[in-house]
Amino acid sequence: MSLKHAVLAALLEGEASGYDLAKIFDVSVANFWAATPQQLYRELDRLAEAGLITARVVEQERRPNKRMFSLTESGRRDLAAYTSTPPRLSAVRDELMVQVQACDQGDTAAVRAFVARRMETARAKLARYDRLRERMLAGRDEEAYLDGAERIGPYLTLMRGRFFEEENLRWGARALAVLDRRAAAEAPEGTEGRGRGGAGT
C-alpha cells in the first residue's frame, strides 16, 4: 500500500488541513500505516497535482493561512479501484524480535527492559484507541454502531489496532515471566555476572 491511498482514505472523513491529517494519522491511522508530517505534506502536494484531491486556502488573521484538502471525484474513483486490488502480503520487521531471538547470547536484562517498554507503549496506545472508540460509539454499543453507522471502515481498523496491542501485552507478559523464571533459576549458579541479567531488572 502506498501513502497515497492512506491519505485518500483519511480524507473520506471530510475536508482536512495538513495539520488535521497529521493528527488523524497519529491517533487512528498509525495503527496500520505510519507517516511523518513531512511525508504527508509532500504526498498532499502530489495528490493535488494529480487531480485526486483539491485544495482551498483559508485565510486566518492571527495565524498563517492554511490549505484545506478534500477528495475529488477522480480521487474517489481511484480509491474505489484500489479497494478491488488484492493487497500485497505484509512483511513484519520488528527489531525487538531480533533482540529477543538473540537474548540468550546477550544482555538478557536489557532485552527484558525493552519488552517491558514495548508493553508500556502498548498500554498507552490502547488508552488512546479506547478514547477514540468511545467518541465513535457515542453511547451506543458496538453492534448498534456497526449496524447503523454510515461508515464502518474506521471502526474496523481501530478494532485491528486494539487487538494488535492487546496481543503485544499478552506476549510481553508471557515473555517477561519466562525471562524472570530463567534468571531466577540461573542466579544460584552465579550467572548474574555473565552479562545475561538478573531477575527484576
Side-chain angles (χ1 to χ4, degrees), residues 30-61:
N31 77 72
F32 61 89
W33 194 264
T36 66
Q38 292 79 8
Q39 290 172 322
L40 285 173
Y41 282 108
R42 286 195 298 268
E43 190 61 37
L44 286 167
D45 287 337
R46 284 192 286 264
L47 293 174
E49 289 174 7
L52 300 178
I53 64 174
T54 185
R56 67 182 181 91
V57 176
V58 176
E59 296 184 359
Q60 302 186 106
E61 291 185 5

Side-chain angles (χ1 to χ4, degrees), residues 17-185:
S17 67
Y19 176 75
D20 295 331
L21 284 170
K23 289 196 299 182
I24 291 171
F25 267 72
D26 183 55
V27 172
S28 58
V29 178
N31 77 72
F32 61 89
W33 194 264
T36 66
Q38 292 79 8
Q39 290 172 322
L40 285 173
Y41 282 108
R42 286 195 298 268
E43 190 61 37
L44 286 167
D45 287 337
R46 284 192 286 264
L47 293 174
E49 289 174 7
L52 300 178
I53 64 174
T54 185
R56 67 182 181 91
V57 176
V58 176
E59 296 184 359
Q60 302 186 106
E61 291 185 5
R62 295 193 176 92
R63 289 181 291 179
N65 294 341
K66 65 178 178 180
R67 289 191 300 168
M68 299 295 293
F69 300 94
S70 57
L71 283 172
T72 63
E73 285 306 312
S74 293
R76 291 180 183 277
R77 286 194 299 271
D78 188 287
L79 194 56
Y82 171 73
T83 62
S84 65
T85 304
R88 289 174 290 184
L89 293 178
S90 299
V92 177
R93 294 181 178 179
D94 191 331
E95 188 173 7
L96 175 60
M97 294 303 102
V98 179
Q99 293 174 315
V100 171
Q101 177 86 352
C103 72
D104 301 290
Q105 299 300 314
D107 187 344
T108 307
V111 173
R112 184 197 186 283
F114 300 153
V115 172
R117 187 183 307 163
R118 173 68 62 86
M119 293 176 71
E120 287 302 311
T121 300
R123 291 188 187 97
K125 286 185 176 181
L126 274 173
R128 191 166 60 192
Y129 294 159
D130 285 344
R131 289 193 295 270
L132 178 59
R133 180 175 181 266
E134 288 178 8
R135 289 201 300 271
M136 294 175 74
L137 292 178
R140 292 169 287 184
D141 64 39
E142 185 172 271
E143 293 308 315
Y145 176 86
L146 293 173
D147 288 343
E150 180 179 352
R151 297 183 59 234
I152 59 171
Y155 192 84
L156 293 177
T157 58
L158 177 64
M159 287 173 61
R160 179 66 181 91
R162 292 182 75 249
F163 292 156
F164 179 74
E165 298 305 340
E166 287 170 351
E167 179 56 29
N168 276 334
L169 288 177
R170 283 192 293 272
W171 171 83
R174 176 62 173 158
L176 291 184
V178 171
L179 292 172
D180 288 347
R181 187 172 69 240
R182 288 178 63 87

